[in-house]
Amino acid sequence: MSLPLILAVAALQTTVPADPASAEARAVLAPVEATFAALAARDGTRLAPHFDPEARMTVVVEQPDGGRVFRRLTAGQFADGLRPGPERFEEVMPDPIVAIDGDVAMVWGRYLFRIDGAISHCGANHFDLVRKDGTWTIAAITWSQRTTGCEG
């Protein structure tokens, strides 16, 4: 079992998942959706208001030979990786699970990443969020990435 999955299961065992239609869950999902909008716009500057300045990202990429590559990024590196281009990017999480405990929240779920409408890759996203001064911001994102088993 992967570490993000273990953490998600542990979080869900101690925190009741929020009703995704609730105002609080929608507030937690807002920076996640803003991240997807920045990806679609291919504009890293749109990420800054939604990320803690010290946010970290970890990606585990499954290689075609079954090997795994782990990469860690700062929020700045992640933002710098979004550059204008002709391709249309779209990331969706069809059924995110939101768990909230006070000023700490988690969003977990499978995702699909499309380029020009075709599925490029998929995996699972795990967003860690904190509420500071009434605003939810992303403290970390961990995701898996693979090119198999990505049926829409």
Side-chain angles (χ1 to χ4, degrees):
M1 187 178 287
S2 71
L3 181 58
L5 182 57
I6 292 169
L7 293 173
V9 169
L12 291 174
Q13 288 177 348
T14 60
T15 304
V16 176
D19 174 358
S22 72
E24 192 166 23
R26 287 193 316 270
V28 168
L29 286 167
V32 173
E33 291 167 357
T35 300
F36 296 157
L39 288 168
R42 299 180 69 155
D43 183 354
T45 64
R46 292 175 60 173
L47 295 172
H50 308 287
F51 279 76
D52 183 273
E54 296 182 32
R56 296 287 186 255
M57 287 81 213
T58 304
V59 59
V60 181
V61 180
E62 182 179 309
Q63 301 293 303
D65 66 2
R68 305 280 192 283
V69 175
F70 290 77
R71 291 186 53 221
R72 295 189 192 273
L73 306 157
T74 65
Q77 290 169 321
F78 184 68
D80 289 345
L82 287 179
R83 300 175 197 255
E87 303 87 4
R88 186 174 41 91
F89 290 172
E90 176 190 24
E91 183 165 350
V92 295
M93 285 179 69
D95 298 306
I97 297 168
V98 178
I100 304 167
D101 186 31
D103 291 329
V104 175
M106 174 198 74
V107 176
W108 166 268
R110 69 180 187 90
Y111 75 89
L112 295 170
F113 192 92
R114 294 182 176 97
I115 300 177
D116 292 331
I119 296 174
S120 166
H121 61 274
C122 63
N125 280 331
H126 174 194
F127 290 82
D128 286 323
L129 299 99
V130 294
R131 182 169 37 200
K132 293 181 183 176
D133 301 321
T135 302
W136 288 103
T137 58
I138 296 169
I141 307 172
T142 303
W143 71 96
S144 59
Q145 181 175 319
R146 64 181 179 279
T147 57
T148 59
C150 295
E151 296 73 35

PDB file of all heavy atoms in Angstrom, residues 56-77:
ATOM      1  N   ARG A  56       5.030  21.899  -0.874  1.00  0.00           N
ATOM      2  CA  ARG A  56       5.881  20.918  -1.553  1.00  0.00           C
ATOM      3  C   ARG A  56       5.005  19.977  -2.357  1.00  0.00           C
ATOM      4  O   ARG A  56       3.869  19.690  -2.001  1.00  0.00           O
ATOM      5  CB  ARG A  56       6.683  20.099  -0.535  1.00  0.00           C
ATOM      6  CG  ARG A  56       7.664  20.909   0.272  1.00  0.00           C
ATOM      7  CD  ARG A  56       8.862  21.311  -0.585  1.00  0.00           C
ATOM      8  NE  ARG A  56       9.899  21.962   0.182  1.00  0.00           N
ATOM      9  CZ  ARG A  56      10.132  23.267   0.141  1.00  0.00           C
ATOM     10  NH1 ARG A  56       9.383  24.041  -0.584  1.00  0.00           N
ATOM     11  NH2 ARG A  56      11.104  23.788   0.833  1.00  0.00           N
ATOM     12  N   MET A  57       5.560  19.484  -3.441  1.00  0.00           N
ATOM     13  CA  MET A  57       4.874  18.520  -4.290  1.00  0.00           C
ATOM     14  C   MET A  57       5.748  17.276  -4.411  1.00  0.00           C
ATOM     15  O   MET A  57       6.971  17.379  -4.488  1.00  0.00           O
ATOM     16  CB  MET A  57       4.653  19.073  -5.703  1.00  0.00           C
ATOM     17  CG  MET A  57       3.592  20.134  -5.805  1.00  0.00           C
ATOM     18  SD  MET A  57       4.277  21.694  -5.310  1.00  0.00           S
ATOM     19  CE  MET A  57       2.859  22.416  -4.572  1.00  0.00           C
ATOM     20  N   THR A  58       5.107  16.131  -4.430  1.00  0.00           N
ATOM     21  CA  THR A  58       5.798  14.866  -4.650  1.00  0.00           C
ATOM     22  C   THR A  58       5.013  14.099  -5.692  1.00  0.00           C
ATOM     23  O   THR A  58       3.799  13.953  -5.582  1.00  0.00           O
ATOM     24  CB  THR A  58       5.875  14.028  -3.355  1.00  0.00           C
ATOM     25  OG1 THR A  58       6.511  14.802  -2.343  1.00  0.00           O
ATOM     26  CG2 THR A  58       6.654  12.734  -3.588  1.00  0.00           C
ATOM     27  N   VAL A  59       5.700  13.626  -6.718  1.00  0.00           N
ATOM     28  CA  VAL A  59       5.067  12.824  -7.759  1.00  0.00           C
ATOM     29  C   VAL A  59       5.804  11.497  -7.849  1.00  0.00           C
ATOM     30  O   VAL A  59       7.028  11.448  -7.750  1.00  0.00           O
ATOM     31  CB  VAL A  59       5.045  13.547  -9.127  1.00  0.00           C
ATOM     32  CG1 VAL A  59       6.438  13.900  -9.608  1.00  0.00           C
ATOM     33  CG2 VAL A  59       4.331  12.710 -10.175  1.00  0.00           C
ATOM     34  N   VAL A  60       5.030  10.438  -7.992  1.00  0.00           N
ATOM     35  CA  VAL A  60       5.577   9.105  -8.204  1.00  0.00           C
ATOM     36  C   VAL A  60       5.117   8.679  -9.593  1.00  0.00           C
ATOM     37  O   VAL A  60       3.932   8.435  -9.812  1.00  0.00           O
ATOM     38  CB  VAL A  60       5.086   8.106  -7.137  1.00  0.00           C
ATOM     39  CG1 VAL A  60       5.700   6.727  -7.385  1.00  0.00           C
ATOM     40  CG2 VAL A  60       5.395   8.607  -5.738  1.00  0.00           C
ATOM     41  N   VAL A  61       6.061   8.626 -10.533  1.00  0.00           N
ATOM     42  CA  VAL A  61       5.751   8.309 -11.921  1.00  0.00           C
ATOM     43  C   VAL A  61       6.045   6.840 -12.175  1.00  0.00           C
ATOM     44  O   VAL A  61       7.168   6.379 -11.947  1.00  0.00           O
ATOM     45  CB  VAL A  61       6.567   9.188 -12.901  1.00  0.00           C
ATOM     46  CG1 VAL A  61       6.235   8.841 -14.349  1.00  0.00           C
ATOM     47  CG2 VAL A  61       6.340  10.658 -12.619  1.00  0.00           C
ATOM     48  N   GLU A  62       5.018   6.123 -12.630  1.00  0.00           N
ATOM     49  CA  GLU A  62       5.189   4.719 -12.992  1.00  0.00           C
ATOM     50  C   GLU A  62       5.711   4.654 -14.423  1.00  0.00           C
ATOM     51  O   GLU A  62       5.084   5.173 -15.347  1.00  0.00           O
ATOM     52  CB  GLU A  62       3.857   3.980 -12.891  1.00  0.00           C
ATOM     53  CG  GLU A  62       3.968   2.506 -13.206  1.00  0.00           C
ATOM     54  CD  GLU A  62       2.626   1.803 -13.076  1.00  0.00           C
ATOM     55  OE1 GLU A  62       1.979   1.961 -12.024  1.00  0.00           O
ATOM     56  OE2 GLU A  62       2.242   1.132 -14.046  1.00  0.00           O
ATOM     57  N   GLN A  63       6.858   4.035 -14.591  1.00  0.00           N
ATOM     58  CA  GLN A  63       7.488   3.894 -15.901  1.00  0.00           C
ATOM     59  C   GLN A  63       6.887   2.711 -16.666  1.00  0.00           C
ATOM     60  O   GLN A  63       6.354   1.788 -16.044  1.00  0.00           O
ATOM     61  CB  GLN A  63       8.994   3.677 -15.734  1.00  0.00           C
ATOM     62  CG  GLN A  63       9.700   4.808 -14.993  1.00  0.00           C
ATOM     63  CD  GLN A  63       9.688   6.086 -15.775  1.00  0.00           C
ATOM     64  OE1 GLN A  63      10.150   6.144 -16.904  1.00  0.00           O
ATOM     65  NE2 GLN A  63       9.120   7.131 -15.187  1.00  0.00           N
ATOM     66  N   PRO A  64       6.985   2.710 -18.002  1.00  0.00           N
ATOM     67  CA  PRO A  64       6.448   1.594 -18.788  1.00  0.00           C
ATOM     68  C   PRO A  64       7.018   0.228 -18.385  1.00  0.00           C
ATOM     69  O   PRO A  64       6.336  -0.787 -18.483  1.00  0.00           O
ATOM     70  CB  PRO A  64       6.843   1.945 -20.224  1.00  0.00           C
ATOM     71  CG  PRO A  64       6.968   3.432 -20.222  1.00  0.00           C
ATOM     72  CD  PRO A  64       7.489   3.783 -18.849  1.00  0.00           C
ATOM     73  N   ASP A  65       8.259   0.210 -17.862  1.00  0.00           N
ATOM     74  CA  ASP A  65       8.874  -1.057 -17.460  1.00  0.00           C
ATOM     75  C   ASP A  65       8.484  -1.470 -16.036  1.00  0.00           C
ATOM     76  O   ASP A  65       8.975  -2.463 -15.512  1.00  0.00           O
ATOM     77  CB  ASP A  65      10.395  -0.983 -17.594  1.00  0.00           C
ATOM     78  CG  ASP A  65      11.046   0.007 -16.637  1.00  0.00           C
ATOM     79  OD1 ASP A  65      10.332   0.636 -15.807  1.00  0.00           O
ATOM     80  OD2 ASP A  65      12.280   0.163 -16.714  1.00  0.00           O
ATOM     81  N   GLY A  66       7.608  -0.675 -15.395  1.00  0.00           N
ATOM     82  CA  GLY A  66       7.173  -0.987 -14.040  1.00  0.00           C
ATOM     83  C   GLY A  66       7.967  -0.290 -12.959  1.00  0.00           C
ATOM     84  O   GLY A  66       7.573  -0.308 -11.797  1.00  0.00           O
ATOM     85  N   GLY A  67       9.089   0.321 -13.331  1.00  0.00           N
ATOM     86  CA  GLY A  67       9.882   1.064 -12.360  1.00  0.00           C
ATOM     87  C   GLY A  67       9.160   2.337 -11.934  1.00  0.00           C
ATOM     88  O   GLY A  67       8.175   2.755 -12.550  1.00  0.00           O
ATOM     89  N   ARG A  68       9.639   2.943 -10.871  1.00  0.00           N
ATOM     90  CA  ARG A  68       9.037   4.169 -10.351  1.00  0.00           C
ATOM     91  C   ARG A  68      10.102   5.254 -10.244  1.00  0.00           C
ATOM     92  O   ARG A  68      11.237   4.985  -9.843  1.00  0.00           O
ATOM     93  CB  ARG A  68       8.452   3.956  -8.948  1.00  0.00           C
ATOM     94  CG  ARG A  68       7.448   2.838  -8.819  1.00  0.00           C
ATOM     95  CD  ARG A  68       6.077   3.284  -9.306  1.00  0.00           C
ATOM     96  NE  ARG A  68       4.984   2.397  -8.971  1.00  0.00           N
ATOM     97  CZ  ARG A  68       4.704   1.253  -9.581  1.00  0.00           C
ATOM     98  NH1 ARG A  68       5.495   0.799 -10.532  1.00  0.00           N
ATOM     99  NH2 ARG A  68       3.649   0.544  -9.240  1.00  0.00           N
ATOM    100  N   VAL A  69       9.700   6.467 -10.574  1.00  0.00           N
ATOM    101  CA  VAL A  69      10.563   7.625 -10.411  1.00  0.00           C
ATOM    102  C   VAL A  69       9.869   8.577  -9.444  1.00  0.00           C
ATOM    103  O   VAL A  69       8.704   8.927  -9.653  1.00  0.00           O
ATOM    104  CB  VAL A  69      10.820   8.332 -11.768  1.00  0.00           C
ATOM    105  CG1 VAL A  69      11.620   9.609 -11.565  1.00  0.00           C
ATOM    106  CG2 VAL A  69      11.533   7.402 -12.732  1.00  0.00           C
ATOM    107  N   PHE A  70      10.570   8.978  -8.390  1.00  0.00           N
ATOM    108  CA  PHE A  70      10.044   9.909  -7.397  1.00  0.00           C
ATOM    109  C   PHE A  70      10.659  11.280  -7.666  1.00  0.00           C
ATOM    110  O   PHE A  70      11.879  11.384  -7.825  1.00  0.00           O
ATOM    111  CB  PHE A  70      10.438   9.475  -5.974  1.00  0.00           C
ATOM    112  CG  PHE A  70       9.747   8.231  -5.515  1.00  0.00           C
ATOM    113  CD1 PHE A  70      10.147   6.981  -5.958  1.00  0.00           C
ATOM    114  CD2 PHE A  70       8.687   8.314  -4.627  1.00  0.00           C
ATOM    115  CE1 PHE A  70       9.503   5.835  -5.529  1.00  0.00           C
ATOM    116  CE2 PHE A  70       8.044   7.172  -4.185  1.00  0.00           C
ATOM    117  CZ  PHE A  70       8.458   5.928  -4.642  1.00  0.00           C
ATOM    118  N   ARG A  71       9.813  12.302  -7.712  1.00  0.00           N
ATOM    119  CA  ARG A  71      10.297  13.669  -7.883  1.00  0.00           C
ATOM    120  C   ARG A  71       9.666  14.544  -6.812  1.00  0.00           C
ATOM    121  O   ARG A  71       8.498  14.382  -6.482  1.00  0.00           O
ATOM    122  CB  ARG A  71       9.914  14.230  -9.259  1.00  0.00           C
ATOM    123  CG  ARG A  71      10.656  13.571 -10.395  1.00  0.00           C
ATOM    124  CD  ARG A  71      10.369  14.224 -11.744  1.00  0.00           C
ATOM    125  NE  ARG A  71      10.603  15.653 -11.703  1.00  0.00           N
ATOM    126  CZ  ARG A  71       9.802  16.550 -12.285  1.00  0.00           C
ATOM    127  NH1 ARG A  71       8.721  16.173 -12.928  1.00  0.00           N
ATOM    128  NH2 ARG A  71      10.077  17.826 -12.213  1.00  0.00           N
ATOM    129  N   ARG A  72      10.447  15.472  -6.291  1.00  0.00           N
ATOM    130  CA  ARG A  72       9.941  16.441  -5.321  1.00  0.00           C
ATOM    131  C   ARG A  72      10.150  17.835  -5.915  1.00  0.00           C
ATOM    132  O   ARG A  72      11.181  18.114  -6.517  1.00  0.00           O
ATOM    133  CB  ARG A  72      10.668  16.320  -3.998  1.00  0.00           C
ATOM    134  CG  ARG A  72      10.410  14.984  -3.336  1.00  0.00           C
ATOM    135  CD  ARG A  72      10.970  14.963  -1.930  1.00  0.00           C
ATOM    136  NE  ARG A  72      10.976  13.622  -1.396  1.00  0.00           N
ATOM    137  CZ  ARG A  72       9.956  13.065  -0.768  1.00  0.00           C
ATOM    138  NH1 ARG A  72       8.847  13.731  -0.598  1.00  0.00           N
ATOM    139  NH2 ARG A  72      10.037  11.838  -0.306  1.00  0.00           N
ATOM    140  N   LEU A  73       9.141  18.674  -5.720  1.00  0.00           N
ATOM    141  CA  LEU A  73       9.176  20.025  -6.258  1.00  0.00           C
ATOM    142  C   LEU A  73       8.749  21.024  -5.194  1.00  0.00           C
ATOM    143  O   LEU A  73       7.913  20.704  -4.347  1.00  0.00           O
ATOM    144  CB  LEU A  73       8.196  20.157  -7.433  1.00  0.00           C
ATOM    145  CG  LEU A  73       8.297  19.178  -8.580  1.00  0.00           C
ATOM    146  CD1 LEU A  73       6.979  19.088  -9.322  1.00  0.00           C
ATOM    147  CD2 LEU A  73       9.384  19.632  -9.518  1.00  0.00           C
ATOM    148  N   THR A  74       9.277  22.213  -5.281  1.00  0.00           N
ATOM    149  CA  THR A  74       8.756  23.306  -4.470  1.00  0.00           C
ATOM    150  C   THR A  74       7.570  23.907  -5.212  1.00  0.00           C
ATOM    151  O   THR A  74       7.359  23.641  -6.403  1.00  0.00           O
ATOM    152  CB  THR A  74       9.821  24.394  -4.265  1.00  0.00           C
ATOM    153  OG1 THR A  74      10.123  24.975  -5.532  1.00  0.00           O
ATOM    154  CG2 THR A  74      11.084  23.829  -3.620  1.00  0.00           C
ATOM    155  N   ALA A  75       6.822  24.759  -4.538  1.00  0.00           N
ATOM    156  CA  ALA A  75       5.707  25.440  -5.194  1.00  0.00           C
ATOM    157  C   ALA A  75       6.215  26.264  -6.373  1.00  0.00           C
ATOM    158  O   ALA A  75       5.587  26.300  -7.433  1.00  0.00           O
ATOM    159  CB  ALA A  75       4.965  26.320  -4.194  1.00  0.00           C
ATOM    160  N   GLY A  76       7.363  26.907  -6.200  1.00  0.00           N
ATOM    161  CA  GLY A  76       7.943  27.706  -7.285  1.00  0.00           C
ATOM    162  C   GLY A  76       8.326  26.862  -8.495  1.00  0.00           C
ATOM    163  O   GLY A  76       8.077  27.258  -9.639  1.00  0.00           O
ATOM    164  N   GLN A  77       8.931  25.717  -8.258  1.00  0.00           N
ATOM    165  CA  GLN A  77       9.295  24.832  -9.368  1.00  0.00           C
ATOM    166  C   GLN A  77       8.053  24.323 -10.092  1.00  0.00           C
ATOM    167  O   GLN A  77       8.035  24.233 -11.318  1.00  0.00           O
ATOM    168  CB  GLN A  77      10.126  23.647  -8.856  1.00  0.00           C
ATOM    169  CG  GLN A  77      11.505  24.033  -8.403  1.00  0.00           C
ATOM    170  CD  GLN A  77      12.199  22.906  -7.655  1.00  0.00           C
ATOM    171  OE1 GLN A  77      11.584  22.183  -6.870  1.00  0.00           O
ATOM    172  NE2 GLN A  77      13.496  22.771  -7.896  1.00  0.00           N
TER     173      GLN A  77
END
